[in-house]
Amino acid sequence: MKTRLSFSTKIHNPNHKIQTSTLLIFPIQTFLIQLLCSSLTPVSSNQTPPPLPILPLPTAFQLQWQNSNMALFFHFGTNTFTDSEWGTGQAHPTIFNPTKLNASQWIHVAKDTGFSRVLLTAKHHDGFCLWPSEYTDYSVRSSGWRNGNGDVVADVAAAAGEAGVGFGIYLSPWDRHELCYGDTLRYNQHYLAQMTELLTRYGEIKDVFLDGAKGEGEKNMKYFFESWFSLIHQLQPGAAIFSDSGPDTRWVGNEQGVAGSTCWSLFNQSVIEIGGVDNDPQYQKQGDPFGLDWVPALCDVSIRPGWFWHASEHPKSARKLLEIYYKSVGRNCKLLLNVPPNSSGLISAEDIQVLREFSELRHSIFSHNFAASASLNASSTRGGIQDTRFSPNKVLEEGIHTYWAPEENQSKWILYINLKKLVSFNVLQVQEPIHMGQRVIKFHLEALNRDGLWKSVVNGTTIGYQRLLLFPKLKSQYLKLVVDKSRAEPLISYLGIYLDPVTVLSEDMPDKKSGTYFNGTQVLRSAMKNDSQSATM
């Protein structure tokens, strides 16, 4: 008996017009075709094992780091009181006097607005220590604040621990106050001694932030980074170490909070030198599909023009932060947003207001996933449709540890989404189970328009932990997520469809013949109408 599957041919041809009567039963036909194909495959009593992970893979604490999405950075020290960014190291310690310092306020601002980790500048370039270090007199002990008995690091660590917020520290390698700076052996010993204090006195440390910043014409110094990394991992095995090149997380190459539109967690650490003036910022932004190391990118940016608090400066708007969110968290990165406490020792009210508005914007957009109750089918399912472990429905379960997996050796990787009703949307969220490796190289979203034609909506490259694509608003009920290219069989752990009513598309890249660009993704305008940035699909 011959079975005609003419509908299958039509559905994969984006230029073929589907008759109205066919359109109404599209999901059912797709499902029946899939069922028929799977019935031709012999059924085994043995379950199909999960696919092989593809190297490199993240460590357990790198997974935790990525899952936390966003962190707040607290730049605080003598610069807060001298109205400077890079202190000279000569400011008298008594200038440090935050009379109303309340670390619990800092932490609750972070937690209440969606930031699950915080980092503190325990020592910035000026060398002033926010804890009473035994290895210098240039610290809070000499400030007179709290009669020399204060400890900012202890306050923040305790407040974070009570609130269940992860705590991290920044310890500047460059020290403009310490006299032994420039003496390679002595200063490396000094630095490791201070690092040991921080890693052994204040409980669990989630993040250690290092950089290679140093002013032009300053003393030459060789940092023993490998020794530092080994000691940090020995004393705090769960801490993620950040620097230009890792070992655990890397700098994205700019301080605007913007990752590359293609952003791999794969990386070759040997290509980038910590503090190197010849580092390639594009390599840092984009990563390396052939990289041998797993080193995800961190996007750092300040809520204000400067990194330390200045009375004359004001915060960015909530909408600007949302735009940064799309270009950092939405591009497989973590956002590290600096919110500097003021000279009273508090987060300023105007900064808090912006953070609250930013939180409300995210909630208004991402609290309602139009795909949550969708019907899903796939071009194939690992183990056949009877194996629910790899079902396309897994992409509606939050978290990355469940996922849709296609059969091996397939030429098409497609998820069919029936939203069950006509909805307006303009945001796509996709996640990969990165504990299985980062796989997807290129993908796109299609929508079925009212004429029965499949139209491409938006193209993307890498996915990784999370990808958010923003495009002109459209209406549709039937969608296809198509993976065009992948390092191995693609695995999709989550899919979301949302409406962002506030963000205005900015054409921040040149127009191309086939479309325009926002958020580093190609927006295909084949179904665009007038100038309202909306289309009916």
Side-chain angles (χ1 to χ4, degrees), residues 67-349:
N67 191 50
S68 63
N69 255 341
M70 301 190 301
L72 282 192
F73 210 170
F74 299 131
H75 272 64
F76 191 58
T78 54
N79 293 348
T80 308
F81 300 86
T82 60
D83 200 29
S84 58
E85 286 287 302
W86 279 12
T88 63
Q90 304 305 312
H92 199 278
T94 55
I95 198 172
F96 182 82
N97 189 28
T99 55
K100 297 180 181 179
L101 189 143
N102 183 346
S104 292
Q105 185 232 22
W106 305 5
I107 299 301
H108 284 294
V109 166
K111 186 173 182 178
D112 293 347
T113 55
F115 294 81
S116 58
R117 292 192 182 190
V118 299
L119 283 85
L120 173 67
T121 55
K123 183 188 79 171
H124 204 253
H125 308 323
D126 62 331
F128 184 81
C129 298
L130 295 184
W131 81 101
S133 174
E134 301 295 332
Y135 300 97
T136 182
D137 291 330
Y138 202 52
S139 77
V140 288
R141 179 186 285 125
S142 301
S143 69
W145 171 64
R146 293 183 181 172
N147 297 317
N149 296 314
D151 187 335
V152 180
V153 178
D155 284 5
V156 179
E162 290 174 6
V165 172
F167 176 62
I169 53 103
Y170 168 90
L171 186 67
S172 171
W174 181 30
D175 190 321
R176 305 187 79 177
H177 179 84
E178 180 54 44
L179 295 177
C180 71
Y181 187 86
D183 183 324
T184 297
L185 180 60
R186 287 181 60 207
Y187 184 73
N188 275 276
Q189 290 174 338
H190 173 84
Y191 186 89
L192 283 183
Q194 291 196 322
M195 180 66 79
T196 299
E197 289 181 323
L198 291 171
L199 299 183
T200 57
R201 292 183 180 180
Y202 301 104
E204 184 179 16
I205 303 295
K206 289 287 190 180
D207 295 275
V208 175
F209 189 105
L210 308 173
D211 64 20
K214 188 174 71 170
E216 188 176 353
E218 293 289 330
K219 298 176 184 177
N220 290 326
M221 261 296 306
K222 178 177 175 59
Y223 303 130
F224 295 163
F225 282 117
E226 293 303 320
S227 295
W228 297 6
F229 298 158
S230 295
L231 181 70
I232 293 167
H233 278 155
Q234 179 191 98
L235 298 177
Q236 291 284 346
I241 304 172
F242 165 91
S243 78
D244 289 328
S245 63
D248 303 316
T249 67
R250 74 179 193 266
W251 189 38
V252 78
N254 64 77
E255 294 185 340
Q256 285 74 53
V258 176
S261 57
T262 294
C263 189
W264 293 95
S265 293
L266 282 60
F267 198 70
N268 277 328
Q269 290 179 258
S270 59
V271 173
I272 299 296
E273 179 186 0
I274 301 175
V277 295
D278 296 323
N279 287 340
D280 181 358
Q282 284 300 111
Y283 188 79
Q284 291 173 290
K285 284 178 69 173
Q286 296 182 354
D288 187 343
F290 304 104
L292 300 177
D293 308 304
W294 185 277
V295 191
L298 178 73
C299 295
D300 59 329
V301 64
S302 185
I303 197 171
R304 290 166 173 253
W307 289 87
F308 285 88
W309 177 83
H310 306 284
S312 61
E313 293 182 352
H314 302 283
K316 296 175 173 63
S317 69
R319 290 192 180 191
K320 179 61 178 177
L321 294 186
L322 181 60
E323 180 184 335
I324 292 171
Y325 182 85
Y326 279 115
K327 296 180 179 181
S328 55
V329 175
R331 293 181 176 179
N332 185 38
C333 297
K334 182 171 179 173
L335 173 61
L336 179 61
L337 179 64
N338 179 64
V339 180
N342 60 33
S343 56
S344 295
L346 299 171
I347 304 296
S348 297

Side-chain angles (χ1 to χ4, degrees), residues 7 19-32 478:
F7 181 78
Q19 299 300 320
T20 305
S21 59
T22 306
L23 174 59
L24 294 175
I25 59 172
F26 150 67
I28 298 175
Q29 287 184 318
T30 303
F31 179 79
L32 290 175
Y478 301 106

